[in-house]
PDB file of all heavy atoms in Angstrom:
ATOM      1  N   LEU A 746     345.210 137.709 138.637  1.00  0.00           N
ATOM      2  CA  LEU A 746     344.162 137.109 139.464  1.00  0.00           C
ATOM      3  C   LEU A 746     343.212 136.288 138.594  1.00  0.00           C
ATOM      4  O   LEU A 746     342.821 135.171 138.954  1.00  0.00           O
ATOM      5  CB  LEU A 746     343.405 138.213 140.217  1.00  0.00           C
ATOM      6  CG  LEU A 746     342.379 137.818 141.293  1.00  0.00           C
ATOM      7  CD1 LEU A 746     341.060 137.412 140.718  1.00  0.00           C
ATOM      8  CD2 LEU A 746     342.927 136.712 142.215  1.00  0.00           C
ATOM      9  N   GLY A 747     342.876 136.829 137.410  1.00  0.00           N
ATOM     10  CA  GLY A 747     341.993 136.109 136.501  1.00  0.00           C
ATOM     11  C   GLY A 747     342.577 134.780 136.062  1.00  0.00           C
ATOM     12  O   GLY A 747     341.857 133.779 135.936  1.00  0.00           O
ATOM     13  N   GLU A 748     343.884 134.753 135.836  1.00  0.00           N
ATOM     14  CA  GLU A 748     344.535 133.495 135.450  1.00  0.00           C
ATOM     15  C   GLU A 748     344.493 132.491 136.591  1.00  0.00           C
ATOM     16  O   GLU A 748     344.279 131.288 136.371  1.00  0.00           O
ATOM     17  CB  GLU A 748     345.978 133.768 135.031  1.00  0.00           C
ATOM     18  CG  GLU A 748     346.687 132.545 134.476  1.00  0.00           C
ATOM     19  CD  GLU A 748     348.025 132.870 133.841  1.00  0.00           C
ATOM     20  OE1 GLU A 748     348.239 134.044 133.452  1.00  0.00           O
ATOM     21  OE2 GLU A 748     348.856 131.947 133.722  1.00  0.00           O
ATOM     22  N   ALA A 749     344.696 132.961 137.817  1.00  0.00           N
ATOM     23  CA  ALA A 749     344.632 132.072 138.980  1.00  0.00           C
ATOM     24  C   ALA A 749     343.229 131.485 139.127  1.00  0.00           C
ATOM     25  O   ALA A 749     343.076 130.278 139.392  1.00  0.00           O
ATOM     26  CB  ALA A 749     345.017 132.842 140.248  1.00  0.00           C
ATOM     27  N   ILE A 750     342.217 132.322 138.927  1.00  0.00           N
ATOM     28  CA  ILE A 750     340.835 131.840 139.027  1.00  0.00           C
ATOM     29  C   ILE A 750     340.546 130.816 137.945  1.00  0.00           C
ATOM     30  O   ILE A 750     339.895 129.800 138.176  1.00  0.00           O
ATOM     31  CB  ILE A 750     339.852 133.027 138.930  1.00  0.00           C
ATOM     32  CG1 ILE A 750     340.025 133.979 140.118  1.00  0.00           C
ATOM     33  CG2 ILE A 750     338.415 132.519 138.862  1.00  0.00           C
ATOM     34  CD1 ILE A 750     339.854 133.344 141.469  1.00  0.00           C
ATOM     35  N   GLN A 751     341.075 131.069 136.750  1.00  0.00           N
ATOM     36  CA  GLN A 751     340.854 130.138 135.650  1.00  0.00           C
ATOM     37  C   GLN A 751     341.495 128.787 135.939  1.00  0.00           C
ATOM     38  O   GLN A 751     340.923 127.731 135.618  1.00  0.00           O
ATOM     39  CB  GLN A 751     341.401 130.709 134.338  1.00  0.00           C
ATOM     40  CG  GLN A 751     341.130 129.836 133.121  1.00  0.00           C
ATOM     41  CD  GLN A 751     339.651 129.528 132.930  1.00  0.00           C
ATOM     42  OE1 GLN A 751     338.802 130.400 133.140  1.00  0.00           O
ATOM     43  NE2 GLN A 751     339.339 128.291 132.561  1.00  0.00           N
ATOM     44  N   LEU A 752     342.674 128.800 136.555  1.00  0.00           N
ATOM     45  CA  LEU A 752     343.321 127.546 136.942  1.00  0.00           C
ATOM     46  C   LEU A 752     342.433 126.746 137.892  1.00  0.00           C
ATOM     47  O   LEU A 752     342.267 125.529 137.744  1.00  0.00           O
ATOM     48  CB  LEU A 752     344.669 127.835 137.608  1.00  0.00           C
ATOM     49  CG  LEU A 752     345.816 128.288 136.705  1.00  0.00           C
ATOM     50  CD1 LEU A 752     346.999 128.745 137.557  1.00  0.00           C
ATOM     51  CD2 LEU A 752     346.234 127.173 135.767  1.00  0.00           C
ATOM     52  N   LEU A 753     341.850 127.458 138.864  1.00  0.00           N
ATOM     53  CA  LEU A 753     341.000 126.782 139.845  1.00  0.00           C
ATOM     54  C   LEU A 753     339.681 126.337 139.224  1.00  0.00           C
ATOM     55  O   LEU A 753     339.159 125.279 139.572  1.00  0.00           O
ATOM     56  CB  LEU A 753     340.745 127.707 141.031  1.00  0.00           C
ATOM     57  CG  LEU A 753     341.976 128.053 141.878  1.00  0.00           C
ATOM     58  CD1 LEU A 753     341.628 129.075 142.963  1.00  0.00           C
ATOM     59  CD2 LEU A 753     342.575 126.802 142.508  1.00  0.00           C
ATOM     60  N   ARG A 754     339.155 127.125 138.297  1.00  0.00           N
ATOM     61  CA  ARG A 754     337.914 126.744 137.613  1.00  0.00           C
ATOM     62  C   ARG A 754     338.130 125.494 136.770  1.00  0.00           C
ATOM     63  O   ARG A 754     337.274 124.603 136.720  1.00  0.00           O
ATOM     64  CB  ARG A 754     337.417 127.885 136.733  1.00  0.00           C
ATOM     65  CG  ARG A 754     336.868 129.079 137.485  1.00  0.00           C
ATOM     66  CD  ARG A 754     336.319 130.127 136.539  1.00  0.00           C
ATOM     67  NE  ARG A 754     335.124 129.672 135.844  1.00  0.00           N
ATOM     68  CZ  ARG A 754     334.519 130.359 134.881  1.00  0.00           C
ATOM     69  NH1 ARG A 754     335.020 131.516 134.468  1.00  0.00           N
ATOM     70  NH2 ARG A 754     333.431 129.884 134.307  1.00  0.00           N
ATOM     71  N   SER A 755     339.276 125.415 136.087  1.00  0.00           N
ATOM     72  CA  SER A 755     339.543 124.269 135.219  1.00  0.00           C
ATOM     73  C   SER A 755     339.649 122.976 136.016  1.00  0.00           C
ATOM     74  O   SER A 755     339.420 121.894 135.477  1.00  0.00           O
ATOM     75  CB  SER A 755     340.835 124.494 134.427  1.00  0.00           C
ATOM     76  OG  SER A 755     341.970 124.498 135.272  1.00  0.00           O
ATOM     77  N   ARG A 756     339.994 123.096 137.289  1.00  0.00           N
ATOM     78  CA  ARG A 756     340.101 121.912 138.154  1.00  0.00           C
ATOM     79  C   ARG A 756     338.848 121.685 138.977  1.00  0.00           C
ATOM     80  O   ARG A 756     338.803 120.789 139.813  1.00  0.00           O
ATOM     81  CB  ARG A 756     341.313 122.069 139.077  1.00  0.00           C
ATOM     82  CG  ARG A 756     342.647 122.040 138.329  1.00  0.00           C
ATOM     83  CD  ARG A 756     343.804 122.332 139.246  1.00  0.00           C
ATOM     84  NE  ARG A 756     343.685 121.584 140.473  1.00  0.00           N
ATOM     85  CZ  ARG A 756     344.125 122.015 141.662  1.00  0.00           C
ATOM     86  NH1 ARG A 756     344.708 123.182 141.757  1.00  0.00           N
ATOM     87  NH2 ARG A 756     343.998 121.266 142.734  1.00  0.00           N
ATOM     88  N   GLY A 757     337.831 122.537 138.761  1.00  0.00           N
ATOM     89  CA  GLY A 757     336.572 122.354 139.474  1.00  0.00           C
ATOM     90  C   GLY A 757     336.615 122.782 140.915  1.00  0.00           C
ATOM     91  O   GLY A 757     335.775 122.346 141.720  1.00  0.00           O
ATOM     92  N   VAL A 758     337.550 123.669 141.276  1.00  0.00           N
ATOM     93  CA  VAL A 758     337.676 124.108 142.669  1.00  0.00           C
ATOM     94  C   VAL A 758     336.752 125.279 142.964  1.00  0.00           C
ATOM     95  O   VAL A 758     336.161 125.360 144.048  1.00  0.00           O
ATOM     96  CB  VAL A 758     339.140 124.491 142.995  1.00  0.00           C
ATOM     97  CG1 VAL A 758     339.264 125.016 144.426  1.00  0.00           C
ATOM     98  CG2 VAL A 758     340.055 123.287 142.790  1.00  0.00           C
ATOM     99  N   VAL A 759     336.616 126.223 142.013  1.00  0.00           N
ATOM    100  CA  VAL A 759     335.776 127.399 142.242  1.00  0.00           C
ATOM    101  C   VAL A 759     334.839 127.625 141.059  1.00  0.00           C
ATOM    102  O   VAL A 759     335.064 127.124 139.954  1.00  0.00           O
ATOM    103  CB  VAL A 759     336.632 128.682 142.453  1.00  0.00           C
ATOM    104  CG1 VAL A 759     337.599 128.498 143.612  1.00  0.00           C
ATOM    105  CG2 VAL A 759     337.374 129.079 141.175  1.00  0.00           C
ATOM    106  N   ASP A 760     333.789 128.397 141.320  1.00  0.00           N
ATOM    107  CA  ASP A 760     332.896 128.898 140.288  1.00  0.00           C
ATOM    108  C   ASP A 760     333.001 130.421 140.291  1.00  0.00           C
ATOM    109  O   ASP A 760     333.197 131.038 141.345  1.00  0.00           O
ATOM    110  CB  ASP A 760     331.438 128.513 140.575  1.00  0.00           C
ATOM    111  CG  ASP A 760     331.158 127.052 140.268  1.00  0.00           C
ATOM    112  OD1 ASP A 760     331.813 126.510 139.351  1.00  0.00           O
ATOM    113  OD2 ASP A 760     330.292 126.461 140.934  1.00  0.00           O
ATOM    114  N   ALA A 761     332.866 131.030 139.122  1.00  0.00           N
ATOM    115  CA  ALA A 761     332.862 132.487 139.007  1.00  0.00           C
ATOM    116  C   ALA A 761     331.506 132.922 138.481  1.00  0.00           C
ATOM    117  O   ALA A 761     331.089 132.497 137.394  1.00  0.00           O
ATOM    118  CB  ALA A 761     333.978 132.956 138.072  1.00  0.00           C
ATOM    119  N   LYS A 762     330.802 133.754 139.265  1.00  0.00           N
ATOM    120  CA  LYS A 762     329.473 134.212 138.873  1.00  0.00           C
ATOM    121  C   LYS A 762     329.506 135.713 138.604  1.00  0.00           C
ATOM    122  O   LYS A 762     329.959 136.485 139.454  1.00  0.00           O
ATOM    123  CB  LYS A 762     328.470 133.901 139.988  1.00  0.00           C
ATOM    124  CG  LYS A 762     328.361 132.411 140.303  1.00  0.00           C
ATOM    125  CD  LYS A 762     327.377 132.144 141.419  1.00  0.00           C
ATOM    126  CE  LYS A 762     327.308 130.658 141.740  1.00  0.00           C
ATOM    127  NZ  LYS A 762     326.364 130.365 142.859  1.00  0.00           N
ATOM    128  N   PRO A 763     329.049 136.144 137.426  1.00  0.00           N
ATOM    129  CA  PRO A 763     329.071 137.571 137.072  1.00  0.00           C
ATOM    130  C   PRO A 763     327.872 138.327 137.641  1.00  0.00           C
ATOM    131  O   PRO A 763     326.927 137.720 138.160  1.00  0.00           O
ATOM    132  CB  PRO A 763     329.022 137.534 135.548  1.00  0.00           C
ATOM    133  CG  PRO A 763     328.202 136.310 135.259  1.00  0.00           C
ATOM    134  CD  PRO A 763     328.561 135.307 136.324  1.00  0.00           C
TER     135      PRO A 763
END
Side-chain angles (χ1 to χ4, degrees):
L746 188 280
E748 186 170 338
I750 296 303
Q751 184 56 39
L752 286 171
L753 294 175
R754 289 184 68 186
S755 67
R756 293 174 46 212
V758 177
V759 303
D760 284 329
K762 300 179 181 179

